């Protein structure tokens, strides 16, 4: 991962992880079958989740 975002504490109810790879934006989470799912998302959605994640911890 070429994620340049600073590490921050995650809320225990936050089931996803945001990251970037090769200039693309992804959200990862573990599904009901305990398999890791990685979904490509737009920058706008990434920024929205990133802002929400930051505000949850504040």
């Amino acid at each position: 991962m070429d994620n340049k975002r600073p590490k921050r504490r995650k809320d225990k109810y936050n089931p996803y992880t945001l990251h970037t790879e090769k200039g693309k934006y992804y959200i990862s989470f573990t599904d009901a079958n305990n398999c890791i799912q990685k979904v490509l998302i737009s920058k706008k959605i990434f920024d929205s989740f990133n802002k929400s994640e930051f505000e949850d911890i504040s």
Side-chain angles (χ1 to χ4, degrees):
M1 287 188 269
D2 48 88
N3 199 349
K4 305 285 189 231
R5 297 177 331 114
K7 284 194 169 224
R8 62 173 75 126
R9 294 176 295 137
K10 281 180 68 169
D11 186 284
K12 67 180 179 178
Y13 300 110
N14 177 351
Y16 61 85
T17 302
L18 297 170
H19 60 278
T20 59
E21 288 180 23
K22 299 178 183 173
K24 296 185 179 182
Y25 303 93
Y26 295 91
I27 189 166
S28 299
F29 57 92
T30 304
D31 66 13
N33 295 320
N34 210 26
C35 294
I36 296 174
Q37 302 294 323
K38 183 169 87 170
V39 180
L40 179 65
I41 57 176
S42 70
K43 171 127 175 59
K44 188 174 182 177
I45 293 172
F46 180 90
D47 290 342
S48 185
F49 270 92
N50 190 39
K51 181 180 177 188
S52 175
E53 187 178 86
F54 182 70
E55 290 173 350
D56 282 347
I57 291 299
S58 298

